[in-house]
Structure formats: C-alpha cells, structure tokens
Amino acid sequence: MPALSDRRPQLGVWKFASCDGCQLTLLDCEDELLGIAEQVEITYFLEASSAPGPGPYDLSLVEGSVTTAEDTERIQHIRAASDRLVTIGACATAGGVQALRNYADVAEFQAAVYARPDYIDTLATSTPISAHVPVDFELRGCPIDRGQLIEVITAYLAGRTPDVPAHSVCFECKRRGTVCVTVAHGTPCLGPVTHAGCGALCPAYNRGCYGCFGPSNSTNFPSFIPLLRRDGMDTLDVVRVLRTYNTAAPEFDAAVRKELPG
Amino acid sequence: MTHGESKVLRVASLARVEGEGALHLRIHDGEVAEARLKIYEPPRFFEAFLRGRSSTEPPDITSRVCGICPVAYQMSACRALEDARDIVVGERLAALRRLLYCGEWIESQTLHIYFLHAPDFLGGDSIIDLARTHRTQVERGLALKQAGNAIVELLGGRAIHPVNARVGGFHRVPTRAELRPLEERLRRARDDAEATVRWVAGFDFPDTGIDNELLALAEPGTYAIDSGTPTAMTAPSSAGLPADTDRALPTRTFPLATFPDHVIETQVPHSTALHSRLDGRRHLTGTLARYAISGRWLPPDVLQVAGDAGLGDPRAGTVCRNPFRSIIIRAVEVLYAVGEALRLIDTYEPPPRPYVDVPDRAGTGHGATEAPRGLLYHRYTLDTDGTVTEAALVPPTAQNQAAIEQDLLHTVQERLRTGPHPTDAELTALCERVIRNHDPCISCSAHFLDLSVDRD
Ligand code: SF4
Ligand code: SF4
C-alpha cells in the first residue's frame, strides 16, 4: 500500500452555465499541464477525461453560474465532497453575462429565443456559486488568467493562501508602462474600478478596459462615473458597460442602480 | 437480443466534449426506434439580451458563447455588423483577420485531435493517460496547440476571448517586426502538423458513412475560413448511392442573405439547442463538409499529405463521408492553417489604419464564417443609432444535431445487427465515439452524455 504522503491530492473541475473558457484555461497551460497532472490527480474533469472519479476532492474548481433548480442541488453535493472550493471566472463569481436575465423578464427572454419556452427548464436568475455555498477563494476574470490559475492550484497544494492581488487594472498598466488611454486619448476605461489579473491587456491594445475581471477591492464610483461621462458616455452606456460580464457583482450592480432613474 | 426485451440504460454524463448533454436510445426488438441527443446545457439567452446593446458590443459579448471558438463568434459578428452597414474591410485587414482565425483553427482543432478524440482510438480516458503511453505525441500536440494560441495571443491579446477584434477591423494592428517571432514557431509547427496527419492516419477506422447534406462556405480558389457563399452538397441517398460513397455529388449555393430561408431552426422538446434543417433536410457542417466542398482548393503540398493519409484526391472528385476519419481531415486542416498563417505573415503589410469606420445606419446584416466546428451564422438588425433590435445566432452544433442523431441511430443499429449483444457500457462507449467524431460544442446552448436506453 502506498504511504499516505504518496497519495496525490484529488482535483475536480466542475461546470455550470458558462462558455467552458475558464476550464479551457487549464488545458491551455501547455507547458505546465503534464507537470500539474503529476502532482495532482485530476479526478473529475469531464471536458478532458471520460473517467470521472467519485471524490472526495481536495480541491474543486468550479466554473459557471447557477441557472437551474438541479444546479442548486448539484453545487451542494460538490461542496460537501470538496475540502477546498475555488470558483473560476466571472460566471461562477458574479453570475456571468447570463445574469443579464436578472434584470429582465425571463419569460420574455425565453419567448424571444425559443418557440416553445415551456420545453425549457431555467431559473429566473443566474447567480454566483457563493450565493449557494461557502467558497474558499474566488478567481476573477472572463476568462481567468492562466498565471493566476497556476498560482491558485500550487498555493492550495502547498497549503497556503493564493497570492492574487486585488488592486486595479491601473496598477498593472503602470507596471507595464502602457500609456493611459483615458489621459492620452480620452477613451472611456474601466481600469480604475476593475480587478487586476489580465496584465492591463486592453489599454496595451489601444482600447479602454471593459471590466471583464469585475470590481477591484476598492472602487470609488462617485468620482469614477463623472470621468466616464467626461469621455462621452451617457447613462445608457454606463449601464451597459457595467452590466455585461460581471453584472451581478455587488459593486457594479450598486453603481448601476445609482445611475438609473427611479 | 431476445424478442420483446425491454431495458432502460442511463449514463450520467458525456465526457470529452464541450458542454453538457445526454443521449436517449429506444430499442425495440433489437431495432433502434429512436436516438435523441439531448443537450441540457442550461440556456444562456444571448439572442435575447443582445437586444438593446450597442452595435459595437456583439463581437465581445458573443465570444462568451463559447470559450473554445471565441474568434469564430467575433468574426461572424463583425461581418454581420459590417454587412448591415454595407461595409467591406480592405484586403490587408481581411488578411489579418484570416491570420487570427488560422490561430484559432490550429489550437482548437489540435485540442480536439489530441485531447478529445485521440483517446478514442488509442485507449485511455484522457490526454493525461495518453501522456503515459504516448509521451512524444502528446508533447507534440501541446506544442502545436501552443503555436495556434501564440497567434491568437499576439493578435488578440489572449487566447480565450481575445480583446483586439472590433467591428471594422482591429483596435491595434501589429508591425511586421512584431509578427516575425511567430514564423520560427510556425515552421516547427508545420513539421508537427505533418507528423500529426501521419500519426492519426494510422489509427483504426471502422467502415461507415453518413447520409446527409453537407454545408460549408465556399470561396472558389481558396479554402474558405473567414468568408464565402453557403454551398450544400447533395446527400448520397438523394442520388441513390450508399451513405459511404466517396464520390462528390452535385452542389448548390445560395446567397448568405437568404440563409434564414434555407436553414430553418425548430425546437425539439429534449434539447435546449435548436435543431435546424437545410431546405427541409438533415445536414452536417464542419470538417467533413468543408473538405468535401473546399478540399480541391487546398495547396498541392497539403493535398499530397492528405492523399498519402488515405483521403484520396478532392480534385478528382473524392470526398470523405466517414465521420471516424474526420480526425485525419482535422489534422490536414491544421497543416493547412499553419501554412496559411506563414503565408499571411510573409505577405503582411500593416494596413494604413487599424480599422475602417462603420457609421451607424438602420439595417439588417448577415455574417457567416467557418468556425472550427462548422458554419457559424449571425444576423443583426440595427436601428438608426446603432442599437441592436434583433439578433440571431445559428451555431454549427445546433445545425449538426439532427445529423448526429441519425448517425447514432445508424451506428447502433449496425452494432446490434452484426456484433454480439452489447453491454450498456459498450453501447455508451460506442455512442460517445460517434458523437465525438462530430466534435459537437454544446456550450452554445448550447453540452454532454447521459445515455438512457429504453429496450422494449
Ligand atoms: S467567466 Fe467568461 S470565460 Fe469563464 S466560463 Fe464564464 S463566460 Fe466563459
Ligand atoms: S483590461 Fe479590463 S477588459 Fe481588458 S482584459 Fe483586462 S480586465 Fe478585461
């Protein structure tokens, strides 16, 4: 029998409503994938393996948001079977783009897409995993960043807290030496209120940040919104940009509610 | 199977596909009465919430339909939104878009070949298993996929949901010098891609064929990726031929603007993905269809490799209708995309501006491109200030679902007739293989396998 220390930690990768992009990030770690697989046993990962193991899992990575009655039960089972549970991506962390239904009439949405909405089983809301079960760590991004994902996995294997900074994209812009698109070109940019992680990608490509990593740890919307207006955004634009990939993030949601009349 | 035997089989989830789904088989007296592919990926309502968004937003938003082919969504969206305003981007921008798309083809098709499909032929449940028995090959696959990702990352900023594409072109275009480091990598990738074709050509393929129409974009003179005219090839049965005939059959084309008149979506009770029919008939898009329709325009060196791999010569009217062999065609497509990327880099001239202006105007626009999994169609109606008032997305898997069900029915039937009584596990494995042959992407609903068999 192998010694206890020979038992590799068990990793589970789970999916709820999502685009698969965050799980794919794990498969996109081409240089590290085989190394990771030597250190952990990838026990459950349907996208990559047809031999799901029963658990329990030392670490579960959960992608996607909760949108069906069945999902609300499945996440309870996953939580119960997992020592640590980390959500990966905007869907799992803030409801994802599909949380736009939370502000709409879902029956009308169903009717717009499906001729027979009665065949479709869905909840009226798309909610983050943390709305249903305790979560040990939330990794931001739509999609998540490969480097941060590896940090999270190795940190949990080493039994420490992941080192994922919660400052804003602006910090990363400065570090990268990118010229600020707002200052230089008057381009509206969500960098000041958006969580770091992407390495300030959009400004490096000459566009404003559209907030795909969700809110940073200290957002100051009262002074930020006027900046967006100065750069030409009207109320509708502000609402649209905050209500996209991280629409159910409390900070973005509160800012939008302030903007909307009534 | 004994007369009147009745049985129900359930398998919890289908693996190594993108998304979630289930399969229901009804077997009566040893005959398959029904095969239903159930896509139970929860609906995400993109078409509903695109209404009211600005005309600049669909490329970024629809890329979130699918993390496996975000570029395809971005490109089909851009084309449709430009079409609504009667804008065609210039050659240099179009070339850069094609380069970005080649990157996605390389990484996505390689993902399917090595991660999802190869374990079916070699035994093993995942690429991790394969790495134990086929280390060199797996490392080659990883390097090849990485080469595709490198293109998307350079042009788009990141491999999943790249940020650089926009209506009218790009936010920023690279200099010639910036593209140069890709060359060296792609030259190595060309060797890896060629070795991949030879490798997969040596797998063991059952003899079988599919009987449905094939639909792909065609752009005479080139292998269509980022544009073209919808072109359909007749199904063998309509021509009185067996499903596995390797003869090219007559084709017909229709203008993209009439796509909604030809490809009609209907909803079936068992799936969140809509089914569609091409002029009332089952059709298949994707690798087999593309190769049948555009194969003859592949460059001679690629055709040579394809011929050596047993695919015959498309210029002489040979087509492949064996879905198991789609893995070879996929590998040929990767080889093509690597060569095409090298050509595009070699001839690249930075466009004068990163994008052309696309002034707002009311109208409806259609856009279709060849996603790695097949023809992806977008339609948007815009009002005068550029607000989207209506959006329609027809992903390849939704189109392929009926053809996949037919293929399942046929394959299970063959198995019941010819082999010894299959166990439920054997049936499941067989069905999963059949489904994976078609590389369905079910996150678009749009996902995999929960098999239930009713035997009565
Ligand atoms: S967070 Fe974004 S990238 Fe991740 S699964 Fe959701 S839609 Fe895809
Ligand atoms: S700059 Fe903003 S929108 Fe762009 S990738 Fe980073 S977090 Fe996402």
Side-chain angles (χ1 to χ4, degrees):
Chain A
M1 235 183 91
L4 208 58
S5 59
D6 288 346
R7 177 188 167 274
R8 288 181 296 154
Q10 312 274 305
L11 178 74
V13 183
W14 310 91
K15 178 187 151 71
F16 290 79
S18 68
C19 79
D20 278 39
C22 291
Q23 315 186 31
L24 182 64
T25 304
L26 184 57
L27 301 182
D28 272 355
C29 299
E30 291 96 357
D31 289 332
E32 299 85 6
L33 184 67
L34 298 180
I36 294 173
E38 273 158 24
Q39 298 202 27
V40 297
E41 196 165 331
I42 303 181
T43 314
Y44 190 98
F45 189 1
L46 272 192
E47 182 173 45
S49 169
S50 48
Y57 309 92
D58 295 277
L59 175 61
S60 275
L61 301 172
V62 181
E63 170 190 286
S65 63
V66 173
T67 61
T68 65
E70 199 198 327
D71 285 353
T72 58
E73 284 166 26
R74 188 158 62 99
I75 190 61
Q76 302 290 342
H77 293 302
I78 295 169
R79 175 71 265 189
S82 312
D83 186 27
R84 301 283 173 172
L85 190 153
V86 171
T87 62
I88 54 170
C91 296
T93 303
V97 66
Q98 54 276 8
L100 283 166
R101 75 179 73 181
N102 302 2
Y103 311 98
D105 172 2
V106 174
E108 194 274 327
F109 265 31
Q110 275 177 255
V113 179
Y114 301 100
R116 291 293 306 267
D118 50 311
Y119 292 166
I120 302 296
D121 164 37
T122 185
L123 296 172
T125 52
S126 164
T127 41
I129 302 300
S130 63
H132 303 268
V133 296
V135 168
D136 295 292
F137 190 80
E138 299 188 309
L139 190 61
R140 308 297 191 98
C142 179
I144 54 172
D145 173 73
R146 196 183 328 194
Q148 293 198 334
L149 176 64
I150 291 170
E151 163 59 17
V152 166
I153 296 174
T154 45
Y156 278 111
L157 290 179
R160 57 176 175 80
T161 315
D163 178 18
V164 173
H167 54 232
S168 72
V169 170
C170 293
F171 277 80
E172 298 190 294
C173 233
K174 303 290 170 285
R175 192 171 309 143
R176 188 169 182 154
T178 305
V179 174
C180 173
V181 294
T182 300
V183 173
H185 313 294
T187 305
C189 177
L190 256 55
V193 295
T194 300
H195 199 285
C198 69
L201 213 51
C202 291
Y205 281 80
N206 271 342
R207 69 181 290 192
C209 169
Y210 57 87
C212 77
F213 272 64
S216 63
N217 60 343
S218 59
T219 53
N220 182 351
F221 281 101
S223 55
F224 177 63
I225 302 270
L227 212 63
L228 292 180
R229 292 194 187 284
R230 184 203 68 187
D231 293 332
M233 290 178 83
D234 63 19
T235 301
L236 186 59
D237 296 327
V238 172
V239 169
R240 277 180 187 143
V241 73
L242 291 173
R243 277 199 178 157
T244 315
Y245 311 99
N246 289 276
T247 181
E251 298 85 341
F252 282 7
D253 187 44
V256 167
R257 286 177 198 277
K258 274 217 172 82
E259 287 308 294
L260 290 173
Chain B
M1 193 167 294
T2 51
H3 184 82
E5 183 190 355
S6 148
K7 190 160 189 265
V8 179
L9 173 71
R10 285 182 199 286
V11 181
S13 40
L14 186 54
R16 279 190 281 120
V17 295
E18 322 295 349
E20 307 196 313
L23 178 70
H24 179 94
L25 285 182
R26 198 152 59 77
I27 299 174
H28 182 69
D29 275 354
E31 297 278 317
V32 192
E34 196 179 8
R36 293 193 324 212
L37 178 60
K38 176 173 177 219
I39 291 184
Y40 60 78
E41 177 82 8
R44 295 172 69 210
F45 301 118
F46 278 84
E47 290 154 317
F49 60 67
L50 281 164
R51 297 170 308 173
R53 308 299 299 205
S54 147
S55 64
T56 55
E57 294 182 284
D60 290 326
I61 293 180
T62 60
S63 73
R64 268 69 180 189
V65 170
C66 175
I68 322 293
C69 60
V71 171
Y73 277 86
Q74 295 185 337
M75 296 298 107
S76 288
C78 286
R79 290 193 70 91
L81 291 158
E82 288 154 13
D83 181 56
R85 274 79 66 90
D86 262 333
I87 300 277
V88 181
V89 305
E91 231 165 85
R92 291 183 189 180
L93 283 169
L96 209 51
R97 282 184 166 173
R98 189 168 169 95
L99 177 59
L100 174 65
Y101 220 143
C102 283
E104 178 158 290
W105 268 39
I106 297 166
E107 60 90 6
S108 176
Q109 298 285 52
T110 303
L111 174 88
H112 190 267
I113 294 167
Y114 283 86
F115 285 65
L116 311 182
H117 210 179
D120 276 345
F121 296 93
L122 301 170
D125 295 307
S126 70
I127 192 165
I128 312 287
D129 286 345
L130 276 193
R132 283 180 208 121
T133 50
H134 298 77
R135 185 83 186 191
T136 327
Q137 290 87 343
V138 166
E139 283 176 1
R140 181 179 66 209
L142 291 169
L144 192 51
K145 177 159 156 296
Q146 207 169 25
N149 277 344
I151 298 176
V152 182
E153 284 166 15
L154 193 128
L155 279 180
R158 61 183 171 198
I160 302 166
H161 310 328
V163 302
N164 193 24
R166 57 168 283 170
V167 180
F170 292 87
H171 291 278
R172 178 184 173 283
V173 292
T175 61
R176 282 182 64 94
E178 278 176 297
L179 288 184
R180 203 145 302 134
L182 286 178
E183 276 175 307
E184 160 84 41
R185 183 173 227 155
L186 286 168
R187 271 194 290 271
R188 261 178 289 138
R190 186 152 58 187
D191 294 340
D192 287 342
E194 216 178 300
T196 303
V197 179
R198 281 198 302 270
W199 183 54
V200 298
F203 293 175
D204 201 12
F205 300 103
D207 281 325
T208 183
I210 39 153
D211 182 25
N212 41 245
E213 301 213 331
L214 299 170
L215 175 68
L217 297 176
E219 215 182 343
T222 188
Y223 203 75
I225 299 180
D226 50 321
S227 64
T229 309
T231 302
M233 185 180 280
T234 306
S237 57
S238 317
L241 291 163
D244 59 357
T245 179
D246 66 356
R247 267 174 47 198
L249 296 172
T251 58
R252 64 181 195 283
T253 64
F254 53 87
L256 185 61
T258 64
F259 190 88
D261 305 326
H262 290 276
V263 178
I264 311 274
E265 292 193 288
T266 50
Q267 197 184 354
V268 291
H270 60 277
S271 178
T272 51
L274 298 166
H275 270 210
S276 48
R277 287 267 188 284
L278 171 63
D279 297 321
R281 295 184 287 268
R282 271 193 319 273
H283 70 288
L284 186 77
T285 75
T287 298
L288 288 177
R290 273 196 300 255
Y291 194 73
I293 283 159
S294 292
R296 64 198 146 121
W297 291 303
L298 286 168
D301 58 325
V302 176
L303 280 173
Q304 178 72 42
V305 176
D308 293 346
L311 289 177
D313 187 352
R315 286 170 306 191
T318 320
V319 305
C320 171
R321 286 193 183 79
N322 182 339
F324 288 90
R325 296 180 97 90
S326 66
I327 191 168
I328 313 177
I329 305 181
R330 232 166 248 126
V332 167
E333 290 194 332
V334 173
L335 178 65
Y336 170 69
V338 173
E340 182 68 355
L342 275 166
R343 183 187 71 80
L344 290 163
I345 293 171
D346 191 47
T347 54
Y348 175 63
E349 291 290 340
R353 286 183 61 215
Y355 58 90
V356 295
D357 291 317
V358 183
D360 283 327
R361 195 183 91 180
T364 294
H366 311 257
T369 64
E370 285 291 333
R373 285 160 185 80
L375 193 155
L376 168 61
Y377 167 82
H378 286 215
R379 179 175 72 249
Y380 301 97
T381 302
L382 305 171
D383 68 14
T384 43
D385 71 355
T387 306
V388 176
T389 55
E390 218 192 306
L393 314 175
V394 185
T397 295
Q399 299 183 64
N400 291 348
Q401 207 176 333
I404 299 175
E405 287 181 348
Q406 176 65 24
D407 193 11
L408 280 162
L409 200 138
H410 170 81
T411 309
V412 172
Q413 190 64 71
E414 280 287 310
R415 178 66 185 78
L416 292 179
R417 280 203 190 122
T418 53
H421 191 126
T423 63
D424 287 359
E426 281 164 359
L427 268 186
T428 304
L430 179 70
C431 292
E432 291 205 337
R433 284 194 70 175
V434 168
I435 293 167
R436 265 185 228 116
N437 283 339
H438 298 287
D439 188 15
C441 172
I442 29 199
S443 31
C444 42
S445 124
H447 242 203
F448 217 42
L449 195 62
D450 189 352
L451 175 69
S452 65
V453 182
D454 284 345
R455 294 187 169 122
D456 50 36

